[in-house]
Amino acid sequence: MSKPVLRRVMESSAAKPQETPRVLVVEDEPDIAALIAYQLTREGFRVETAATGTEALTAVGREVPDLVVLDRMLPGVSGDEVLKTLKSESATRGVPVLVLTARREQEDRIEGLELGADDYLTKPFSPRELVLRVHSILRRARDTGTPTGGRILRAGPLRVDLAAHQVTLDGDEVTLTPTEFRLLVALLERKGRTQSRRQLLEKAWDVRSEISDRLQTRTVDMHVRRLRSKLGEVGDWVETVRGFGYRFRTPEDRS
Ligand code: CA
């Protein structure tokens, strides 16, 4: 019993210190907030709670969390406003957000995705499901953000550093949201091959089948548009394949 413990201690001191992930829970209903905080604390997370949007932004200003669980319906500053603010600030843009929504309408879900939420849970949800989602979002954030063998994807002037999470065009940094980054990586990893919107959604958003075709189309198309506009001339290499999806093709791939 002592050996694995010792090994773990040695590994953790040798490797980059792995801090306990900090989760900010933004929820105005005290019972739900307490339940979420209890579940996440039990999983080993460090949890802070905020009951309003203003409190949430103050908490984030104090210490940037590793993940935010955000209720949409808050008194005063709404969850969507908090999300928008988080995604517009460079310090918090990369923080994954799991949105809680009481509304079942798909339109609402998509609005949140367009604002940059990483995942959704519709109330009422099981605490177990919440914990699973939090783990999966953090795992994904780690996978795109840390050692993948320093892998670099290139296409013409475009360079994507998967480890550093950095995109440059002719050496100039391009600022992408985490979703746009994952979308670009999904396209580049299968360069020259067409991928459906559903495939791209699954890779870049981890969204599953409950979303209608029309809404899938809207979400993916909007992010592709934004991505293209940020990539300048390289944006033209993200091609629309009518009636199917998208593919990334360089001029050389085309000839
Ligand atoms: Ca609420």
Side-chain angles (χ1 to χ4, degrees):
M1 203 57 207
S2 65
K3 216 172 179 181
V5 171
L6 179 63
R7 199 186 315 138
R8 214 190 304 155
V9 170
M10 287 168 67
E11 276 171 4
S12 64
S13 58
K16 210 176 82 190
Q18 269 277 313
E19 270 185 52
T20 311
R22 283 157 298 134
V23 180
L24 174 65
V25 176
V26 190
E27 168 63 80
D28 59 311
E29 289 161 74
D31 291 353
I32 299 179
L35 178 67
I36 296 172
Y38 169 75
Q39 288 292 336
L40 293 177
T41 306
R42 221 176 57 164
E43 288 290 311
F45 296 108
R46 227 173 81 210
V47 181
E48 188 176 357
T49 56
T52 66
T54 313
E55 262 182 46
L57 294 174
T58 307
V60 168
R62 219 166 29 230
E63 191 178 14
V64 177
D66 294 297
L67 183 137
V68 178
V69 176
L70 178 65
D71 184 32
R72 285 193 79 183
M73 303 293 279
L74 296 169
V77 180
S78 74
D80 286 357
E81 286 301 318
V82 173
L83 185 54
K84 258 188 233 168
T85 307
L86 292 177
K87 294 300 167 185
S88 64
E89 303 286 333
S90 61
T92 51
R93 191 172 295 139
V95 177
V97 180
L98 168 61
V99 166
L100 305 177
T101 177
R103 296 186 254 170
R104 290 181 170 275
E105 285 82 359
Q106 289 192 330
E107 293 289 330
D108 287 339
R109 298 169 61 96
I110 287 300
E111 262 171 43
L113 287 175
E114 287 175 354
L115 292 175
D118 289 75
D119 203 356
Y120 261 91
L121 260 184
T122 306
K123 289 177 178 177
F125 52 84
S126 82
R128 190 68 215 140
E129 179 67 18
L130 176 102
V131 164
L132 288 174
R133 299 281 185 108
V134 166
H135 278 302
S136 119
I137 295 170
L138 286 173
R139 197 179 318 118
R140 208 174 54 198
R142 265 198 310 275
D143 289 349
T144 27
T146 39
T148 45
R151 211 145 69 86
I152 309 276
L153 301 172
R154 287 173 202 275
L158 180 69
R159 182 181 181 278
V160 178
D161 184 331
L162 296 179
H165 220 277
Q166 192 191 44
V167 178
T168 53
L169 263 180
D170 280 325
D172 293 329
E173 183 153 7
V174 181
T175 309
L176 299 182
T177 65
T179 304
E180 288 161 356
F181 182 84
R182 289 194 296 265
L183 182 60
L184 177 62
V185 169
L187 287 163
L188 276 173
E189 280 182 331
R190 303 191 71 196
K191 198 158 79 74
R193 290 149 82 184
T194 305
Q195 296 180 78
S196 69
R197 290 181 175 85
R198 177 170 296 274
Q199 283 175 308
L200 292 171
L201 259 178
E202 281 169 4
K203 284 182 193 153
W205 283 267
D206 205 13
V207 165
R208 291 177 237 289
S209 51
E210 70 255 39
I211 288 180
S212 74
D213 288 350
R214 189 176 58 86
L215 293 170
Q216 281 180 42
T217 303
R218 226 178 72 189
T219 304
V220 175
D221 291 358
M222 198 205 62
H223 280 85
V224 165
R225 257 198 317 277
R226 286 193 192 159
L227 181 62
R228 275 181 181 145
S229 72
K230 289 183 179 181
L231 295 179
E233 282 175 29
V234 169
D236 295 341
W237 301 356
V238 180
E239 299 178 329
T240 306
V241 181
R242 277 195 66 167
F244 194 72
Y246 292 97
R247 93 186 133 204
F248 190 96
R249 275 207 310 181
T250 63
E252 296 83 74
D253 294 332
R254 246 168 279 183
S255 60

